[in-house]
Amino acid sequence: ETGVTQTPRHLVMGMTNKKSLKCEQHLGHNAMYWYKQSAKKPLELMFVYNFKEQTENNSVPSRFSPECPNSSHLFLHLHTLQPEDSALYLCASSQRGGEYEQYFGPGTRLTVT
Amino acid sequence: QKEVEQNSGPLSVPEGAIASLNCTYSDRGSQSFFWYRQYSGKSPELIMSIYSNGDKEDGRFTAQLNKASQYVSLLIRDSQPSDSATYLCASGESSGGSNYKLTFGKGTLLTVNP
């Protein structure tokens, strides 16, 4: 256990559904991240939050909507997804802005049907 | 486009041997470097971080950094079957102000044969 938890661990949703992924870190960090991991591709950074402020949006489609109510919690709201959005979604946290080590949660395996 | 390049493997070594994993990065401004281990179906687990030129040792793992050559490596001594996994290399660079982000390679699959 790294101190970063994610729920749900598995999610199957239709293209018209709305769902949310949740991440919580118990490490006292103040930066949190969403990554997407697809087969045969490098980890792709999606969003970065520092002290609850979004500091990076890596050209992510608007069907993905992040929310960071405080430094310990991060959400990813999903709506009208496409089958190509099926992937492992990983949350990570670190001290400050990321020049320090990032610790990953277990991930949510998302399948869009 | 900032890139981190790794040989995808698979790299196969016998148990007890030294496994050598290599990585190059394109951004000369990169300041921090990380190695993660990822077992199949699991999330990445941090193994080593390195910030300055030279070697850094932690147990059976040694990370090596050469900023002039833009090259990072990870040596695993006395390799065990439990080391079989995909190893991800990442470089950290500033994305403006005090914000940093990591760029990951695709990973090298290591297989340690009993």
Side-chain angles (χ1 to χ4, degrees), chain A residues 4-46:
Chain A
V4 182
T5 59
Q6 289 186 245
T7 55
R9 297 290 302 272
H10 300 272
L11 178 62
V12 179
M13 59 186 289
M15 289 190 284
T16 58
N17 290 160
K18 290 184 180 181
K19 297 287 184 183
S20 295
L21 310 184
K22 179 183 176 182
C23 175
E24 184 173 359
Q25 59 95 1
H26 308 273
L27 300 171
H29 290 162
N30 42 47
M32 297 187 77
Y33 312 80
W34 280 117
Y35 287 89
K36 175 184 179 182
Q37 189 174 38
S38 305
K40 309 292 186 184
K41 296 175 72 174
L43 273 168
E44 299 172 60
L45 178 65
M46 300 175 72

Side-chain angles (χ1 to χ4, degrees), chain A residues 37 50 56 97 99 101-102 105, chain B residues 36 38 43 46 49 99-100:
Chain A
Q37 189 174 38
N50 280 294
E56 189 89 22
E99 67 270 39
E101 293 92 344
Q102 292 185 21
Chain B
Y36 287 83
Q38 187 172 22
S43 64
L46 181 68
S49 59
N99 301 319
Y100 285 79

